[in-house]
Amino acid sequence: MRNEVVVAAAVTTAAAVVGVALLLRHWRQRSERRLRHAQRILRNFARRCATPAAKLWHVADELAAEMEAGLSSGERGGNLRMLVSYAAPLPTGEEKGTYYGINLRATNFVIVRATLDGKNEPLNQLLKQEVPIPPSLMADAESSKELCDLIAFELAKFISVHSESTDNNKGETVKRSKLGFTVSSFPVDHQAPPSAAIAIKWTNLPFNDAARKELATEVNQALEKLGLDYLRVSEVVNDTIGDLAGGRYYSKESVAAVTLGIGGTDIAYIECPQQISSPVKDSSKSNETVINMQWGNFSSSHLPLTEYDTSLDAESIDPGARIFEKLISGMYLGEIVRRVLLKMAHEAALFGDSVPPKLTIPYLLRSPDMAAMHQDTSEDYEVVQEKLNEIFDINNSTPMVREIVTEICDVVAERGARLVGAGIVGSVKKMGRIENRKSVIIVEGGMYERYRIYRNYVQSSVWEMVGNEFSDNVMIHHCHGGSGAGSVFLAASQTAHS
């Protein structure tokens, strides 16, 4: 009897082991099927996002044609807003002295001070101070005078604290000079509170002549009240133009500047006034005019759009607009990655049987986090796991799943960066400089500065398009002094030619 019990127990145990083995095998097979399905989604997405050189040239050619049409027709309502944004002389590299600048952003402003030693010497004694704009001012679209008072007050404090900045190296008091004033193109923040009224009001400030003049007048009045009448704002311009001014200080071959920020993107380039159909105010001061074309508005049938881009655009606050920006800007890249992950979670159960609730929240994945996951070099993608857990509360991913996440990031980043390269080449082509003249393109912004792989893709796409023969004719340089420093270069040039 005892032997029979032992045998029965052994049979039961063996059956249980077999059952567990079958369940484990079934689970593995199901996991493999899900993983294969996710990989099929990834391959299809990568195929739709492909940007071979031929496609990039189609994009570049169409961009150049639209630039030409916009300038010759005089119309400013097309995809590209070919706006005459600055007609005063740009720096020559000979400017000397201590100068101040203000860079106004969506939620803060930056006070900049630097000394220029001329003859293309680097910026000396560069100082910056970021000042937040109080919520009370942000909530009031009519509070521009109060904001200008705040800017003047903080500038006065800044000068007082850094009293040596009011003296040249020779101990001479700074003479009456211009205050460089640049305004960032405020991106549409999809998670910003609706109370940010002043940011909404100034979204297009750099392209509104009347608003720019009003702001300059109010800043000057505020400066006068505080005894800073030796500083005057003569012109308010887009910060991309400030970057171009900085590039021109160091090289006469700097002909364009591109902003590739976490929030938005823009481009400004130098055009001959004769190419512009509408008259250029104060064109007698310079034989060069800076055009801001807001290339985020560019659209083309050659752009590699996917279902994720289509849905993102349809659900945005400006459907059908800013298509190029939605493919290349840091504001949108993380959102595209999230949408692909969400589809994989629904159709391939990438993160388990249920879809993580936070994965359904739009714009929760920001481009800095996307960059961190993309550039994770650890053996089992520990950074990817940390970010998935931190952002989406996903804490059970496998190394293979995390590898898929990095591959999605790579597809999105490569497509966006290579399209930027096509835009740069198209702009240089419009200027007629690819084959016979060297062109330096200044690039500024967090996407370019801190996203190494994205930056490499931008550069490699330009080299691939122009080929070895003309690779030295299109050079990409990083902005000197970083964000906001362009206001100082503008102050120096405006003072020298006033």
Side-chain angles (χ1 to χ4, degrees), residues 84-190:
V84 176
S85 299
Y86 193 69
L90 290 166
T92 63
E94 298 298 322
E95 291 78 8
K96 296 182 180 181
T98 298
Y99 300 95
Y100 296 92
I102 300 292
N103 178 220
L104 179 60
R105 303 171 178 176
T107 58
N108 61 61
F109 60 90
V110 179
I111 303 172
V112 188
R113 169 262 185 206
T115 299
L116 305 184
D117 295 324
K119 298 190 181 299
N120 307 122
E121 292 296 320
L123 282 175
N124 189 18
Q125 301 176 9
L126 174 65
L127 295 173
K128 294 184 182 182
Q129 179 180 329
E130 184 175 303
V131 181
I133 299 175
S136 59
L137 295 184
M138 289 296 299
D140 184 4
E142 304 302 323
S143 61
S144 57
K145 286 188 178 181
E146 289 81 359
L147 178 59
C148 292
D149 287 339
L150 174 64
I151 291 173
F153 176 74
E154 292 292 343
L155 178 59
K157 284 202 310 181
F158 181 85
I159 293 174
S160 176
V161 170
H162 305 286
S163 58
E164 72 278 4
S165 68
T166 61
D167 295 325
N168 288 327
N169 294 334
K170 297 180 180 180
E172 300 174 351
T173 302
V174 172
K175 298 179 181 179
R176 183 178 180 87
S177 65
K178 303 297 183 182
L179 173 65
F181 203 112
T182 60
V183 181
S184 297
S185 298
F186 302 144
V188 178
D189 189 341
H190 298 270

Side-chain angles (χ1 to χ4, degrees), residues 381-394:
Y381 302 100
E382 285 90 350
V383 174
V384 176
Q385 177 57 64
E386 291 174 5
K387 290 297 180 181
L388 290 175
N389 189 19
E390 172 189 333
I391 300 167
F392 300 119
D393 288 340
I394 297 172

Side-chain angles (χ1 to χ4, degrees), residues 401-458:
V401 167
R402 298 196 286 270
E403 183 178 2
I404 288 178
V405 173
T406 63
E407 289 175 353
I408 297 170
C409 293
D410 186 66
V411 171
V412 173
E414 181 179 18
R415 179 186 64 172
R418 285 174 66 82
L419 288 174
V420 169
I424 289 174
V425 172
S427 301
V428 177
K429 177 184 178 180
K430 160 61 186 71
M431 291 183 271
R433 300 176 65 100
I434 290 181
E435 298 179 357
N436 52 20
R437 299 180 68 183
K438 181 179 178 180
S439 299
V440 174
I441 313 300
I442 306 300
V443 181
E444 188 275 328
M447 289 295 292
Y448 192 80
E449 295 169 12
R450 296 188 286 275
Y451 199 160
R452 171 181 48 81
I453 298 178
Y454 184 90
R455 178 174 66 248
N456 291 344
Y457 278 141
V458 172

